[in-house]
Amino acid sequence: LLLCAPALAANVVKEGAVPNDGLDDRGAFDAAVELSQIDGTQTVDVPCGTYNLTRTPGAGSYALGAVNLFFVDGLTIRGQGLCTVIENIFETSPSVGNFFTFNIQDSSRIHFENLTLDGAATSVAGANEQTHLVRTLNVHGLSFDKVVFQNGWGDALKMTSQDGYTSDVTIERSRVRDMARNGLTFHNGITDVLVRDVTFEGISDQAIDFEAGSLGPQRVVIDAIRVYDEGKDDLTVALSGGNVTPLDATRYVRLTNSYIEGEINLVRAGPTQIHGNSIVSVRTCISATRAMHSLSIVGNTLDCNLNNRGSGIAGGSGIFLGQVGAAVDGPQHTLIASNHIYIGGDGEIKAVNPF
């Protein structure tokens, strides 16, 4: 009886990466990814240490990644915990082109686990806001488990697709911090998404942002997230179809069991549930405008208008429902029930214009 030992996962150190030396390890990562596809393990191990991925953006370098994963079917990039750090070190200012640590296109079943992705945002000034830690286009089956995204010039993760191809996305048990733009951005046609047990802190723009084009995100579950806004007067979670997105392009969204410091903004979206959350805002807690419909706001605790408490200034509501502009209807078919609302502004529930 002849027994064959299973192939070991590819390892970036065995392919030439040297942790903690401050030198470029991109070639070793590329070699390990290629080996994992040849030997069938579809797994790349990244041992403890800090690894540097560099690339020089330049003219015509739009959509350039330190590690480009194109047409890959099945890949796990596996660290050993917080001790595994993959860091971007820019050779020149990335302001001249869009740049991503991992650029994933036309691929499937891509998984990251037990590591930190660090944008090293303090290493160079003047970065383009489209400089993301992970950028995906047309990826089916994308997941992150126990991943820290930090110190990025743009978004931690920006997902987009053509014709709704990007689907089956899971981000859980992870942390997003100190991003100069957004945390998670879903752009144009992302479907079947689960965001669970994720902490956001130090995000300059939105923790979660729906940048919908002609086809918005659909079937999105956001559960048990924590957003710490550090008192900034910012929109925090934008579950929006966008001002020009067709009605129903963004639909079937659920936000549950979460703690959020900031405002929830809903625009031109279909069936949406906001259930069982605790929301603390310096202004309005939940705003729903521009042709929202089938909206359910149930069982939330809303502590709103903190900036104007006791001042007599009408600066925010618990829940704001209305239209913006005479040509657009306000929310329709809305259920509001069993919410605890604490307010010192325009009113617990404010409706503006017919809806």
Side-chain angles (χ1 to χ4, degrees):
L1 179 63
L2 179 63
L3 298 178
C4 296
L8 298 176
N11 188 302
V12 297
V13 171
K14 292 181 179 179
E15 297 306 313
V18 179
N20 308 315
D21 68 349
L23 301 178
D24 183 25
D25 298 303
R26 181 164 45 90
F29 273 75
D30 287 341
V33 169
E34 183 176 0
L35 177 61
S36 76
Q37 301 301 295
I38 294 172
D39 66 17
T41 64
Q42 299 183 327
T43 300
V44 172
D45 280 337
V46 188
C48 285
T50 297
Y51 301 85
N52 304 118
L53 302 179
T54 67
R55 183 67 71 93
T56 304
S61 64
Y62 183 84
L64 178 69
V67 175
N68 293 301
L69 303 177
F70 297 165
F71 304 103
V72 175
D73 180 17
L75 175 65
T76 293
I77 297 180
R78 182 172 63 190
Q80 293 184 336
L82 294 176
C83 64
T84 297
V85 179
I86 300 174
E87 187 178 67
N88 249 341
I89 299 295
F90 296 112
E91 295 171 341
T92 63
S93 170
S95 62
V96 294
N98 296 355
F99 181 80
F100 322 114
T101 308
F102 286 90
N103 186 21
I104 310 171
Q105 295 187 29
D106 300 302
S107 296
S108 59
R109 300 185 298 125
I110 307 296
H111 177 67
F112 293 78
E113 66 178 55
N114 287 319
L115 51 81
T116 294
L117 299 176
D118 192 327
T122 59
S123 66
V124 66
N128 187 328
E129 68 169 12
Q130 298 299 325
T131 301
H132 310 308
L133 296 181
V134 180
R135 180 258 197 182
T136 73
L137 172 65
N138 299 339
V139 177
H140 176 74
L142 175 69
S143 57
F144 299 84
D145 186 18
K146 299 180 182 178
V147 172
V148 177
F149 303 84
Q150 65 184 25
N151 300 327
W153 286 108
D155 301 344
L157 170 61
K158 182 164 185 175
M159 293 164 283
T160 189
S161 77
Q162 298 167 332
D163 302 322
Y165 183 77
T166 295
S167 63
D168 191 15
V169 177
T170 301
I171 306 105
E172 58 185 345
R173 298 188 293 180
S174 294
R175 187 177 184 182
V176 184
R177 63 188 183 190
D178 300 327
M179 301 302 301
R181 193 166 180 258
N182 296 328
L184 308 178
T185 298
F186 303 92
H187 181 80
N188 202 40
I190 312 299
T191 63
D192 300 302
V193 177
L194 172 63
V195 180
R196 175 176 290 161
D197 191 15
V198 177
T199 298
F200 301 84
E201 56 187 331
I203 311 300
S204 294
D205 207 342
Q206 281 85 53
I208 298 176
D209 189 22
F210 287 6
E211 293 186 351
S214 60
L215 182 63
Q218 300 185 19
R219 299 187 297 276
V220 179
V221 174
I222 303 169
D223 181 63
I225 68 169
R226 297 158 298 280
V227 180
Y228 301 106
D229 195 43
E230 300 174 353
K232 298 192 300 293
D233 185 16
D234 285 334
L235 177 66
T236 302
V237 179
L239 309 179
S240 308
N243 297 345
V244 297
T245 304
L247 181 63
D248 276 349
T250 297
R251 54 184 171 177
Y252 307 122
V253 179
R254 295 179 57 198
L255 172 62
T256 57
N257 306 315
S258 297
Y259 173 80
I260 295 172
E261 296 177 358
E263 181 180 346
I264 310 301
N265 183 256
L266 307 164
V267 177
R268 293 187 70 88
T272 300
Q273 296 179 350
I274 311 294
H275 288 186
N277 303 286
S278 178
I279 302 172
V280 179
S281 178
V282 298
R283 50 185 184 187
T284 295
C285 283
I286 300 175
S287 176
T289 60
R290 297 189 182 96
M292 280 293 305
H293 77 93
S294 302
L295 171 62
S296 175
I297 304 174
V298 176
N300 302 282
T301 298
L302 309 179
D303 193 2
C304 318
N305 199 43
L306 294 181
N307 275 3
N308 300 308
R309 289 282 176 86
S311 67
I313 299 174
S317 303
I319 300 171
F320 175 84
L321 306 171
Q323 66 184 89
V324 178
V328 181
D329 292 334
Q332 303 179 32
H333 309 297
T334 299
L335 170 65
I336 301 174
S338 302
N339 298 286
H340 298 277
I341 304 176
Y342 305 92
I343 189 70
D346 287 351
E348 293 182 353
I349 300 175
K350 183 177 181 181
V352 178
N353 296 324
F355 66 92

